[in-house]
């Protein structure tokens, strides 16, 4: 595989660390700013919504420069946002810092997916995408647990300062290893938006919102769930996050490998198993041993859906993949925001920390139903032609 994939993985490592490390230090942040755990959950939802908003905007703006220059700009935004979070004097300022950092997320993974896929043969696209996302999964094995440990030992501000430094390393990696691919054509913007006339693109994004959102319903509140329900110490949460990260790493590799061979069957199996695992987590979260088994299982199943869904988007919007790819990354984070908010609602209502797992199971189950619909429409379109969104009807006077 090209060295450029390593550079993209380095950037993904930094972004993955800042996205997930907040879960490990959420109680500490809530305590310093004197807000409740559900209120502190807005640092997760706010980040996710920032990705949703920033991904399409920055991707469209990026059509005016080369993809490499845009990736460098995005890493710069990431650095500024995390530095602001580290120095935040109030909860509101920290939330702003999280949103600023999040603006780099969707566009980086969206543009990076296109770059990664362009560097390899067509039959290896999903594997190349999974290698880039490997940086995110490794972040959950090393970066997130390490950041959680540092946050508990030296303070969460030190954690975010280190994350900003990771952004600097990612910037240098992209600068040195990613090749220039030229400036996209000016007319490409209209073509990029035209990709959204394909119903399959919208179905894929809906599956992304609901499927991966199911994982975030559980993982957002993992620190208080494991300490208050399972009985782990704060230090134990660090090792649980390592297990979760290992699960994500393995799921990402398997998802990339099998998506190149049998994409839709891969989605059927992983989404069904994910819904079951999340449902079981409402029970296994009460046992330290069972929780330690269930958590990496959820990570593996959840992240096994990422390469196939991203490849499905690239295939369905093959004529103009950049915006659709970035929008799908935004969809992942829309699911994160939705799940974090819904989980906070049921917890605040008094149903307990494990109640968020019920939300996750319902979201994943709905994604499974949509995957069946997508497969049905794909088979029909192969026989009758592609299915596009209906043209708007002119108003009658």
């Amino acid at each position: 595989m090209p060295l450029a994939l390593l550079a993209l993985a380095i950037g993904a490592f930094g972004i993955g660390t800042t996205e997930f490390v907040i879960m490990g230090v959420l109680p500490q942040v809530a305590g310093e700013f004197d807000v409740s755990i559900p209120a502190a959950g807005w640092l997760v939802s706010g980040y996710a919504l920032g990705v949703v908003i920033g991904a399409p905007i920055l991707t469209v703006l990026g059509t005016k420069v080369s993809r490499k220059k845009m990736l460098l700009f995005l890493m710069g935004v990431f650095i500024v946002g995390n530095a602001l979070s580290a120095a935040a004097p109030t909860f509101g300022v920290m939330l702003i810092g999280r949103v600023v950092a999040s603006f780099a997320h969707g566009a980086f993974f969206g543009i990076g997916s296109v770059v990664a896929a362009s560097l390899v043969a067509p039959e290896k696209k999903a594997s190349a995408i999974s290698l880039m996302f490997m940086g995110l999964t490794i972040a959950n094995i090393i970066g997130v647990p390490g950041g959680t440990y540092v946050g508990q030992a030296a303070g969460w501000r030190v954690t975010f300062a280190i994350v900003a430094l990771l952004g600097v390393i990612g910037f240098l990696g992209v600068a040195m290893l990613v090749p220039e691919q030229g400036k996209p054509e000016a007319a490409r913007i209209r073509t990029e938006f035209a990709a959204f006339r394909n119903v399959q693109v919208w179905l894929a994004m809906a599956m992304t919102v609901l499927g991966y959102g199911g994982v975030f319903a559980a993982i957002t509140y993992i620190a208080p769930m494991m300490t208050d329900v399972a009985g782990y110490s704060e230090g134990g949460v660090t090792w649980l996050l390592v297990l979760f990260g290992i699960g994500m790493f393995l799921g990402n590799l398997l998802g990339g490998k099998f998506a190149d061979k049998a994409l839709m069957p891969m989605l059927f199996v992983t989404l069904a198993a994910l819904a079951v695992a999340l449902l079981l987590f409402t029970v296994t979260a009460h046992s330290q041993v069972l929780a330690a088994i269930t958590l990496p299982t959820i990570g593996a199943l959840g992240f096994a859906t990422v390469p196939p869904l991203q490849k499905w988007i690239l295939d369905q919007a093959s004529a103009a993949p950049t915006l659709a790819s970035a929008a799908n990354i935004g969809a992942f984070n829309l699911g994160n925001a939705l799940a974090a908010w819904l989980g906070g609602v049921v917890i605040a209502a008094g149903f307990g920390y494990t109640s968020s797992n019920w939300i996750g199971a319902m979201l994943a189950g709905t994604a499974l139903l949509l995957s069946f619909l997508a497969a049905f429409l794909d088979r029909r379109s192969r026989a009758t032609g592609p299915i596009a969104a209906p043209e708007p009807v002119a108003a009658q006077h």
Side-chain angles (χ1 to χ4, degrees), residues 1-387:
M1 289 290 180
L3 280 177
L5 292 177
L6 173 62
L8 294 173
I10 292 171
F13 178 86
I15 292 174
T17 299
T18 202
E19 179 183 18
F20 290 100
V21 77
I22 187 63
M23 287 78 160
V25 297
L26 200 66
Q28 288 76 27
V29 175
E32 178 165 338
F33 291 124
D34 195 24
V35 298
S36 67
I37 291 292
W42 276 104
L43 295 174
V44 178
S45 297
Y47 183 96
L49 290 173
V51 176
V52 175
I53 296 169
I57 294 174
L58 291 179
T59 301
V60 169
L61 292 177
T63 59
K64 301 183 180 297
V65 298
S66 71
R67 290 191 176 115
K68 178 174 181 175
K69 289 179 180 177
M70 193 60 192
L71 289 173
L72 290 172
F73 169 75
L74 293 169
M75 290 311 300
V77 171
F78 173 83
I79 294 166
V80 170
N82 282 287
L84 183 59
S85 291
T90 66
F91 181 79
V93 173
M94 185 180 183
L95 182 58
I96 291 172
R98 291 283 293 167
V99 172
V100 170
S102 72
F103 270 37
H105 186 125
F108 183 89
F109 280 110
I111 295 171
S113 293
V114 176
V115 172
S118 71
L119 295 171
V120 297
E123 66 274 11
K124 294 182 178 180
K125 285 185 177 182
S127 296
I129 293 170
S130 73
L131 284 176
M132 182 192 72
F133 277 93
M134 188 183 296
L136 192 153
T137 59
I138 292 176
N140 281 273
I141 299 175
I142 301 174
V144 174
T148 299
Y149 175 79
V150 169
Q152 293 170 351
W156 60 267
R157 294 182 186 277
V158 178
T159 296
F160 281 96
I162 293 174
V163 171
L165 180 60
L166 288 175
V168 174
I169 297 172
F171 181 95
L172 295 175
V174 171
M176 291 186 294
L177 298 176
V178 173
E180 286 282 0
Q181 293 191 325
K183 177 181 175 181
E185 298 177 6
R188 193 179 182 86
I189 296 178
R190 170 182 278 185
T191 308
E192 294 281 354
F193 276 106
F196 291 94
R197 293 182 56 199
N198 187 341
V199 170
Q200 287 284 13
V201 171
W202 289 102
L203 276 175
M205 289 194 294
M207 284 187 282
T208 297
V209 168
L210 298 169
Y212 201 67
V215 176
F216 252 68
I219 198 65
T220 296
Y221 304 100
I222 196 64
M225 190 189 304
M226 291 297 94
T227 54
D228 290 15
V229 178
Y232 279 99
S233 65
E234 285 189 348
V237 173
T238 299
W239 297 108
L240 288 170
L241 290 173
V242 172
L243 292 176
F244 178 74
I246 291 172
M248 291 180 67
F249 177 82
L250 295 176
N252 180 58
L253 288 180
L254 292 174
K257 179 179 179 180
F258 287 103
D260 280 327
K261 298 178 179 179
L263 192 151
M264 291 310 293
M266 179 69 184
L267 279 178
F268 296 155
V269 172
T270 53
L271 287 172
L274 177 61
V276 172
L278 286 165
L279 193 62
L280 290 175
F281 200 31
T282 60
V283 177
T284 60
H286 292 270
S287 164
Q288 290 189 357
V289 174
L290 294 179
I293 295 172
T294 309
L295 195 58
T297 301
I298 290 173
L301 294 171
F303 223 80
T305 67
V306 175
L309 283 172
Q310 197 69 1
K311 183 177 184 292
W312 186 256
I313 282 284
L314 293 177
D315 289 344
Q316 298 298 324
S318 57
T322 307
L323 182 58
S325 176
N328 196 48
I329 299 299
F332 276 105
N333 285 271
L334 178 59
N336 298 350
L338 175 65
W341 173 71
L342 288 174
V345 168
V346 294
I347 291 171
F351 291 100
Y353 288 122
T354 61
S355 61
S356 61
N357 298 325
W358 288 96
I359 298 296
M362 288 188 289
L363 293 175
T366 306
L368 175 62
L369 296 178
L370 289 180
S371 70
F372 291 144
L373 176 60
F376 169 75
L377 293 178
D378 184 58
R379 286 195 298 269
R380 193 175 75 172
S381 69
R382 291 177 187 275
T384 63
I387 301 173

Side-chain angles (χ1 to χ4, degrees), residues 197 389-397:
R197 293 182 56 199
E391 295 283 357
V393 180
Q396 299 296 318
H397 299 286

